[in-house]
Amino acid sequence: MYVLGTAGHIDHGKSVLVRALTGIDPDRLPEEKKRGMTIDLGFAWFKLPSGKEVSIVDVPGHERFVKNMLAGVGGIDLALLIIAADEGVMPQTREHLAIIDLLNIKKGIVVITKKDLVDEEGLEMAVMEAGEVIQGTTIAEAPIVTVSAVTGDGLPDLITAIDHILDFTLQRKDIGRPRLPIDRIFTIKGFGTVVTGTLIGGILQTGQQVEVLPPGLETHVRGIEIHKCRTDLALPGNRVAVNLANVQIEELARGMVIAAPGWLKPTRLLDVKLRAVPDLANPITHNMSITFYTGASEVAGKIRLLDKEKLGACESGWAQIGLTCTVAVARGDLFVIRSPQGTLGGGEIVDTHPRRHRRFQPAVIESLEAREGITEDAVLAMLEVRGISELRELALQCNLPETEARKVVENLAETGRVVLVSGGEDRQVFISCSHWRHLVEEATKLVQDYHSTFSLRQGMPREEFRSRLKMQPQHFDGIMRKLAEDGYLVGEGVMVRLPAHSVRLSPAQQTRVDAFLKMLAESPYCPPTDLPLEPELLNLLLEQKKVVKIGKGIIFIASTYEEMVKRIVEHAKSKGKITVAEVRDLFQTSRKYAVTLMEHLDAQKITRRVGDERVLR
């Protein structure tokens, strides 16, 4: 399926031509029929001799309805620039052509209509003028076809030209993220709310859960029609009508977007590459109020120029556009800006959720330039901005299919331009090299500072380390493994340390530790509870597993504790149970130690209390 769009000045025969090609009158509103002019978008369709299905979006030519024209022209594959032979190039011809150029529509046909109203010389002049006006635009190589929609003269040539160009026109990509910018809303009795638009980005199916953005309305697709024929599935590039469940017409507006849930986040601030139109009367200035158009949406806003004080005709620059309300857009979407004086310019969205930038910052401009287009450098630059990203997140940020994004970043990893970290559960985390260097520096300094502050501890608690680095839990294990593999840190259980770190006691400290352990050994089953050892040294012995703390103030030498547990388990196995009194007698200790020990073993899930007895778990 392909979508054609008309463009051109008012009363140059766009709708008449559509009717001649399709047999369908695109002017559907009573006021349009009464006034003989197109006011809003019209739609028609036909089949080419080759069998290709074609939808046509007919747009209004009057200057007052350019905003309606913009709502329909964004999703087209082939532009038909209509120029009447008896009038030639007119103001809206130039403005519509500028919009085609700004929206990077590269396939076009110039159709000289009303050839029956001029002589041969007049027709030649119209063709020559048309050829001149398209020079320097995206459709500079477009064929020029002359027709009369009234007599039918030239229509077969036009149909042949359309069929030929579409042979070399790629179908819209399926990147697994369907979007349908809404350009028309109505109700059908017995069905409810229906919206139309040109589907991009992915497949839409009957029964599919979707959301309407920006408001975030949750709904599902009740039914789909293409050219008034019901279908269960629509491919990207199709003009579709979608019947939405449980959504009222009053809740919707042109410019909203239907999307698969969860991936498209509305925004009010955009980074853009902006180009001014050739016939710009007055320059675009910083903080200028504009109206922003993309897809089928129209939003007021202001433009902040980042690298220039003003943009003159045909000049390009970097800008941020701040909007008065949110729009649902993706990186790479094209846009147009206008003022009451007409179309000012347009370009491509480079970032949909940027920070607010300071003006005239070389680093900002360099980053924006690197992110322009879809190249390895652009993906790398996007990762530099984000620092760390999972594959799915990066694919969304770059508006790429995950398979394509994976190829790009894995190639970047193989060439050492990004760091690849395995996050478990088939999760791959990609980190820019600059962010990785900063992370390594911050992580090693954090652990070094901890060692300096707590010299008697074997390492920094793992969770404290993660929290201090502000690292996402789902990324942490993979990053920690990578830090260990590269020799920066060592992870030991719940601790993190530098590879060269080891605890070194002073002679005085070693003397106190030896005396403490000797004291425990002298009364192994009834160790003293008044601990003559400072907490830091005791914590060290616990970390080194030289002693075991079973309760408040009660500490056993590790070998003694292991012996006691072994004998308790053997006794319980042979007798089927064990009591506190039996534990007391088994080790010739006091009831206090026996009770505390058995409560500890309960907590360790070695034993389980049943009345006054314990059994093994």
Side-chain angles (χ1 to χ4, degrees):
M1 177 74 70
Y2 297 93
V3 180
L4 276 61
T6 64
H9 197 74
I10 183 174
D11 202 30
H12 274 207
K14 294 186 295 299
S15 299
V16 176
L17 178 64
V18 171
R19 189 160 55 244
L21 287 171
T22 67
I24 299 170
D25 185 357
D27 287 341
R28 55 189 171 79
L29 302 177
E31 188 178 356
E32 291 177 319
K33 298 185 182 299
K34 180 181 177 181
R35 297 171 63 180
M37 62 183 288
T38 301
I39 295 172
D40 205 349
L41 300 175
F43 305 99
W45 56 90
F46 70 113
K47 184 178 285 190
L48 291 164
S50 64
K52 299 184 188 76
E53 294 275 349
V54 175
S55 296
I56 297 184
V57 181
D58 185 37
V59 305
H62 196 287
E63 62 180 340
R64 286 186 294 165
F65 305 118
V66 170
K67 65 179 184 179
N68 292 345
M69 177 267 186
L70 281 161
V73 77
I76 68 173
D77 301 301
L78 173 61
L80 302 181
L81 181 63
I82 314 298
I83 302 173
D86 60 336
E87 289 193 343
V89 174
M90 299 292 281
Q92 294 317 122
T93 311
R94 296 183 184 279
E95 184 168 16
H96 284 202
L97 178 59
I99 289 167
I100 289 170
D101 188 54
L102 291 170
L103 295 179
N104 201 32
I105 298 168
K106 296 180 179 179
K107 305 290 185 182
I109 299 174
V110 179
V111 185
I112 307 296
T113 58
K114 303 185 181 183
K115 65 181 294 185
D116 55 309
L117 299 184
V118 297
D119 57 22
E120 197 66 35
E121 184 180 353
L123 190 59
E124 288 179 5
M125 289 182 62
V127 170
M128 184 174 64
E129 185 183 26
E132 290 173 354
V133 78
I134 63 174
Q135 293 309 303
T137 71
T138 53
I139 61 168
E141 302 301 320
I144 301 173
V145 181
T146 63
V147 305
S148 169
V150 174
T151 67
D153 186 12
L155 287 180
D157 293 337
L158 175 58
I159 291 171
T160 300
I162 292 171
D163 217 342
H164 177 71
I165 289 178
L166 292 182
D167 280 339
F168 301 94
T169 302
L170 296 176
Q171 293 278 5
R172 298 278 177 154
K173 273 188 177 182
D174 178 2
I175 62 173
R177 294 187 286 274
R179 279 191 289 161
L180 185 75
I182 297 172
D183 54 35
R184 189 177 168 214
I185 307 159
F186 53 95
T187 58
I188 297 179
K189 189 174 181 180
F191 292 91
T193 301
V194 176
V195 301
T196 69
T198 301
L199 180 63
I200 57 176
I203 294 170
L204 208 57
Q205 302 182 65
T206 301
Q208 183 174 343
Q209 295 294 316
V210 294
E211 59 181 347
V212 182
L213 301 167
L217 303 174
E218 295 180 357
T219 180
H220 70 268
V221 177
R222 180 182 287 166
I224 299 173
E225 281 193 1
I226 299 176
H227 298 170
K228 294 194 173 181
C229 294
R230 293 185 65 83
T231 180
D232 289 328
L233 181 146
L235 299 175
N238 277 293
R239 284 288 312 171
V240 299
V242 179
N243 181 201
L244 296 176
N246 305 316
V247 176
Q248 302 304 310
I249 192 169
E250 296 80 10
E251 298 178 275
L252 303 176
R254 174 179 282 177
M256 291 181 181
V257 176
I258 297 172
W263 73 270
L264 190 59
K265 306 298 182 186
T267 180
R268 293 176 62 171
L269 186 65
L270 303 165
D271 281 348
V272 303
K273 182 64 177 290
L274 175 65
R275 176 164 56 92
V277 296
D279 57 350
L280 186 67
N282 298 302
I284 301 170
T285 55
H286 179 64
N287 271 339
M288 184 178 189
S289 294
I290 51 95
T291 306
F292 173 84
Y293 298 87
T294 189
S297 63
E298 172 191 358
V299 183
K302 282 194 173 184
I303 190 153
R304 300 181 64 248
L305 299 178
L306 297 176
D307 57 348
K308 294 179 180 176
E309 289 293 348
K310 59 185 179 181
L311 279 185
C314 294
E315 289 185 334
S316 296
W318 291 101
Q320 280 196 316
I321 296 179
L323 302 170
T324 56
C325 57
T326 56
V327 293
V329 294
R331 182 186 183 276
D333 284 357
L334 300 170
F335 69 93
V336 171
I337 60 170
R338 301 188 80 239
S339 74
Q341 285 69 49
T343 299
L344 303 173
E348 180 179 342
I349 297 171
V350 174
D351 197 340
T352 58
H353 292 85
R355 298 183 180 92
R356 185 177 171 87
H357 303 309
R358 292 175 60 193
R359 301 180 68 204
F360 303 109
Q361 298 296 304
V364 170
I365 304 307
E366 184 179 335
S367 173
L368 290 169
E369 288 174 346
R371 283 181 279 156
E372 189 177 7
I374 302 296
T375 63
E376 283 191 0
D377 287 341
V379 174
L380 181 60
M382 182 65 75
L383 189 57
E384 288 285 357
V385 172
R386 307 299 176 189
I388 179 170
S389 184
E390 292 185 22
L391 178 66
R392 181 175 181 274
E393 295 167 347
L394 192 60
L396 288 176
Q397 291 155 6
C398 297
N399 199 24
L400 288 173
E402 283 193 27
T403 52
E404 191 173 330
R406 184 186 298 277
K407 289 178 184 177
V408 172
V409 290
E410 287 183 348
N411 187 56
L412 289 170
E414 287 175 9
T415 55
R417 300 170 73 191
V418 302
V419 176
L420 170 60
V421 174
S422 297
E425 296 182 0
D426 296 325
R427 175 185 286 131
Q428 287 182 308
V429 178
F430 297 91
I431 307 175
S432 70
C433 289
S434 61
H435 187 80
W436 177 250
R437 288 192 295 269
H438 175 74
L439 178 62
V440 168
E441 182 180 338
E442 188 179 6
T444 52
K445 184 178 186 306
L446 185 62
V447 177
Q448 176 63 61
D449 290 347
Y450 190 90
H451 289 332
S452 298
T453 305
F454 304 102
S455 59
L456 295 181
R457 297 186 185 179
Q458 288 186 305
M460 184 176 188
R462 189 180 176 96
E463 181 56 28
E464 181 182 348
F465 174 68
R466 185 199 68 77
S467 178
R468 294 277 297 277
L469 282 178
K470 297 182 174 60
M471 202 177 293
Q472 296 295 324
Q474 66 268 28
H475 299 157
F476 178 64
D477 287 345
I479 290 174
M480 189 62 228
R481 279 195 298 272
K482 180 66 175 172
L483 288 168
E485 288 169 5
D486 290 357
Y488 295 112
L489 295 173
V490 175
E492 291 179 333
V494 296
M495 296 293 179
V496 178
R497 64 174 175 83
L498 294 177
H501 174 73
S502 62
V503 177
R504 293 180 177 83
L505 298 179
S506 67
Q509 288 171 328
Q510 188 64 57
T511 298
R512 292 198 295 277
V513 166
D514 292 344
F516 176 72
L517 293 175
K518 181 180 179 182
M519 184 175 60
L520 295 181
E522 287 173 349
S523 184
Y525 306 122
C526 302
T529 56
D530 51 339
L531 305 173
L533 194 67
E534 54 265 45
E536 282 297 308
L537 287 174
L538 177 58
N539 284 335
L540 174 62
L541 294 176
L542 290 168
E543 286 179 5
Q544 292 176 336
K545 298 189 180 340
K546 291 182 177 180
V547 298
V548 177
K549 184 176 183 180
I550 66 166
K552 186 176 181 180
I554 300 180
I555 296 171
F556 291 114
I557 290 177
S559 59
T560 301
Y561 170 78
E562 290 166 4
E563 176 210 342
M564 295 172 80
V565 172
K566 181 181 178 183
R567 291 173 63 183
I568 289 170
V569 169
E570 288 173 349
H571 182 95
K573 277 183 178 179
S574 64
K575 303 293 184 180
K577 59 183 178 62
I578 192 168
T579 65
V580 168
E582 288 172 327
V583 171
R584 179 197 62 200
D585 296 342
L586 199 59
F587 301 109
Q588 295 300 301
T589 185
S590 71
R591 179 176 175 79
K592 178 181 78 169
Y593 289 98
V595 167
T596 304
L597 177 59
M598 293 314 297
E599 288 176 347
H600 170 78
L601 296 183
D602 290 344
Q604 296 298 307
K605 301 190 182 304
I606 296 172
T607 58
R608 175 170 58 87
R609 183 171 180 173
V610 180
D612 292 332
E613 300 171 339
R614 258 76 175 189
V615 296
L616 296 177
R617 284 187 181 267

